[in-house]
Amino acid sequence: MEDLYSELNSLLPQTSREPLPLPDQLDEAANYIKKLQVNVEKKRERKRRLLATEAFDKLNPTGSSSSIDLSMPRRLPRIEIQETGPILHISLVTNLEHKFMFHEIIRVLTEELGAEITHAGYSILDDAIFHTLDCKVEDCDSGATSRISESLKKLVNSVN
C-alpha cells in the first residue's frame, strides 16, 4: 500500500520539497484530479466552439469570423451544398426551432432521391446546430446533382 501512495504522489506536480503526511497527499491528489477534469472540460468546450465556428465560416459568404452573431433567427436555417461529381457535401445551420430540417433533408435525399448517406454529424453552439452531411447520388446524369441542390435549397428557404 505504501508503494501505491508513493506512486500516486510521484504523479502529482511537486509544489514543495517537504514530504506531506498521507492524508494531505490524498487531498492534494484529489484536488489535482478535479483541476485536470475542469481543464479537460474547458478544452472540450473550446474545441466544440472552434468546430462550430469553422462550420459557420463555411456558410458565411463574407468570410468574416471575427463577429459571429448566432442570435439572428432570420439567418437560420442556412444551407451550403458543394458538388463533387456524384458526391454532395452539405453544411446546414439551424436553430432549435428548425431542428427537424436535418431529418427532412436526410429523408428527401434517401427516400425521394435514392442517395446514400456516407457521413453525417453535428455540433451545437448556443442555439445554433451545425450539421454536416456527405452523400453519394447513384445514377446521376449531368445536372442531377444541381437539381438536387436546388430542391434542398428550396426546402430550407421555404421556412425562412
Side-chain angles (χ1 to χ4, degrees):
M1 195 68 146
E2 185 82 24
D3 292 338
L4 292 175
Y5 289 128
S6 177
E7 185 177 344
L8 176 64
N9 193 37
S10 71
L11 296 173
L12 300 175
Q14 299 301 321
T15 55
S16 67
R17 298 291 178 204
E18 291 181 27
L20 295 173
L22 191 57
D24 291 344
Q25 287 179 15
L26 293 175
D27 285 342
E28 191 173 321
N31 290 335
Y32 183 65
I33 291 170
K34 288 176 187 175
K35 181 181 170 185
L36 290 176
Q37 287 174 327
V38 168
N39 286 341
V40 165
E41 194 56 42
K42 284 180 183 178
K43 301 281 186 200
R44 282 187 182 141
E45 179 66 21
R46 183 169 185 260
K47 178 184 175 184
R48 187 182 61 78
R49 288 184 182 268
L50 287 171
L51 290 172
T53 301
E54 178 183 349
F56 186 82
D57 286 345
K58 286 182 181 178
L59 295 176
N60 187 0
T62 62
S64 63
S65 62
S66 57
S67 61
I68 297 173
D69 185 8
L70 298 175
S71 64
M72 298 175 59
R74 70 180 187 279
R75 299 181 78 187
L76 300 177
R78 288 189 55 143
I79 189 167
E80 181 182 281
I81 302 170
Q82 296 174 347
E83 304 169 29
T84 310
I87 305 293
L88 294 177
H89 307 282
I90 302 169
S91 297
L92 173 70
V93 181
T94 65
N95 54 21
L96 297 175
E97 197 175 301
H98 299 107
K99 61 185 175 185
F100 68 90
M101 186 64 59
F102 184 68
H103 299 286
E104 185 62 19
I105 286 176
I106 289 179
R107 187 194 64 75
V108 167
L109 286 169
T110 57
E111 293 177 11
E112 294 181 16
L113 304 171
E116 176 188 348
I117 307 298
T118 58
H119 167 79
Y122 73 96
S123 181
I124 300 173
L125 176 65
D126 297 327
D127 288 338
I129 306 169
F130 298 84
H131 304 275
T132 56
L133 180 67
D134 293 340
C135 65
K136 183 177 182 183
V137 181
E138 297 294 330
D139 303 327
C140 70
D141 57 4
S142 60
T145 54
S146 296
R147 287 192 301 278
I148 292 169
S149 295
E150 288 306 312
S151 68
L152 292 178
K153 286 178 183 176
K154 284 180 186 175
L155 173 68
V156 170
N157 292 332
S158 69
V159 296
N160 279 339

